[in-house]
Amino acid sequence: MQHPAVPELAHTVDRPWATRPIHWVATAAALAAVVAASGFLQPDRATAAQTDPKPQPRSAPAPAPDPAAVTYPLECGPVKPVVAKKTTGDLDGDGRPETVAAVHCQAGSGTPPDAVYVITRPREGKPRVVATLVDAKDRRTVAALAVRAGAVTATLLGYSSPDVPRYRPDLREEAKWRWQNGAFTRSTPAAAGSA
């Protein structure tokens, strides 16, 4: 047996074909064939999905319902209901805003009691009242109204007795409602304090 002038390398002992130049030529030819074939086997331009490098603008979110376009379940006799305060926000997590409105009967003088309503806009049709958070019969006036983190908060003013003048409420109450299990639940107690 004749020994070669150059000793065999350890990584070529098991693969005698790896040291032959024909191996590299065959690998290069196969790679070139794959690249060329992929150029010919493109999808038809009419059916290929086109990609647009520009981001598509999102559609504008639905506007909150207009409280002036609603008929309220408030009996005002010959005068009209007035929206005293309003706020908007997504209360049920569907991505569409609701409107919360404090409404009272129009009065020439004095401080009429407010009712607080939640208004939603169905996919089709007019906005409508879906919940009453404060009834006018509760004889409260809304001093502040807000929607924060999916909850309605309100500061309610009231009277401890019929002897208290209507222009000077002596009770103050903080209230909070959140949509849970298909209804608005009050999460803070109706504790009244002195104003």
Side-chain angles (χ1 to χ4, degrees):
M1 177 172 192
Q2 185 178 0
H3 293 287
V6 179
E8 291 185 58
L9 300 175
H11 68 279
T12 61
V13 173
D14 298 63
R15 299 174 290 165
W17 50 265
T19 58
R20 297 183 189 152
I22 192 71
H23 166 71
W24 299 110
V25 172
T27 302
L31 183 58
V34 169
V35 171
S38 69
F40 289 114
L41 299 175
Q42 294 287 328
D44 185 18
R45 288 183 180 250
T47 59
Q50 300 294 319
T51 58
D52 188 2
K54 299 176 196 168
Q56 295 295 328
R58 291 185 176 202
S59 60
D66 180 8
V70 176
T71 301
Y72 294 99
L74 188 63
E75 294 188 29
C76 293
V79 297
K80 294 182 178 183
V82 175
V83 176
K85 292 183 178 14
K86 67 179 180 175
T87 185
T88 63
D90 184 8
L91 300 175
D92 57 3
D94 66 353
R96 298 172 47 183
E98 286 77 30
T99 299
V100 181
V103 182
H104 61 252
C105 295
Q106 190 173 23
S109 62
T111 307
D114 290 315
V116 178
Y117 300 108
V118 177
I119 306 161
T120 190
R121 178 189 311 275
R123 297 211 184 269
E124 295 179 14
K126 291 176 43 176
R128 62 187 176 90
V129 172
V130 293
T132 302
L133 303 181
V134 176
D135 195 315
K137 294 175 185 173
D138 297 338
R139 306 204 45 84
R140 297 289 186 249
T141 303
V142 177
L145 186 64
V147 172
R148 291 186 191 97
V152 179
T153 58
T155 302
L156 306 174
L157 305 178
Y159 310 93
S160 59
S161 76
D163 298 330
V164 176
R166 299 293 108 182
Y167 62 87
R168 190 179 295 176
D170 62 342
L171 298 178
R172 180 183 180 99
E173 178 180 5
E174 299 299 324
K176 182 177 183 179
W177 296 267
R178 185 173 296 279
W179 181 257
Q180 294 177 330
N181 302 320
F184 283 98
T185 56
R186 195 166 177 162
S187 61
T188 55
S194 297

